[in-house]
Amino acid sequence: MASAAVSARRQKYEELQEELQKRIKDIDVDLGTLDAAIKLIDPEVELANAVAASAPSALKGVFGRGELGKEIRGRLRDTKKPLSAAQISDAILATKDPSASKDVRGKLRQTVSAPFNYLYRTNAIERVKHDNGIAWRIAA
């Protein structure tokens, strides 16, 4: 009985932790967007504890809603061999915005994991071991 009560309490704390982590992530995104807006208005302003613009705000003008997932599936369909997330994101950005900054390229590599995970969970793509890491391919 005591074990069940402790397990239930632990579950509550895990749920609270997830909720707080999501809130912190949302706040970081908002702060990054506000900092970027302030810098647009006044590039000379010094922001204490400035937050780098978030991946979604850095990529907002580059990809539309759901477009990244479609691009990933298209790249994987067009090739016979498994590709890493970095290879796919670099190829997508090279055709979408060849002059993209290093920051945007880095943000895309961070952001691309969400569409990959969704496609993987829905069995649209498969994860395979490749060289020293993980690569992806269209599910058989």
Side-chain angles (χ1 to χ4, degrees):
M1 280 237 197
S3 175
V6 172
S7 293
R9 184 161 181 118
R10 186 181 194 296
Q11 179 66 30
K12 277 178 61 175
Y13 278 107
E14 284 180 349
E15 291 169 1
L16 178 61
Q17 182 182 34
E18 285 179 25
E19 179 185 326
L20 292 173
Q21 286 173 339
K22 184 187 178 316
R23 288 187 62 203
I24 289 170
K25 187 176 181 180
D26 291 344
I27 290 169
D28 284 344
V29 168
D30 291 345
L31 285 172
T33 302
L34 289 170
D35 288 349
I38 291 168
K39 285 290 195 179
L40 282 173
I41 295 167
D42 185 2
E44 302 299 317
V45 72
E46 289 295 323
L47 298 171
N49 303 324
V51 176
S54 68
S57 65
L59 298 172
K60 192 170 272 185
V62 180
F63 296 100
R65 185 171 178 86
E67 186 179 358
L68 194 51
K70 291 176 189 172
E71 288 281 347
I72 291 168
R73 283 192 303 270
R75 297 292 168 167
L76 290 172
R77 259 195 308 273
D78 293 344
T79 186
K80 303 291 184 225
K81 63 179 185 163
L83 297 173
S84 71
Q87 289 171 316
I88 293 170
S89 62
D90 287 349
I92 291 170
L93 199 55
T95 58
K96 191 76 174 163
D97 186 4
S99 64
S101 69
K102 265 188 179 177
D103 185 46
V104 171
R105 191 170 310 282
K107 298 293 183 190
L108 178 61
R109 284 189 177 183
Q110 291 172 0
T111 304
V112 80
S113 64
F116 273 105
N117 289 330
Y118 172 77
L119 293 170
Y120 178 69
R121 282 193 320 272
T122 58
N123 297 317
I125 62 175
E126 296 176 328
R127 190 180 342 197
V128 295
K129 289 206 181 266
H130 183 68
D131 294 333
N132 292 332
I134 293 175
W136 304 91
R137 67 178 176 207
I138 292 291

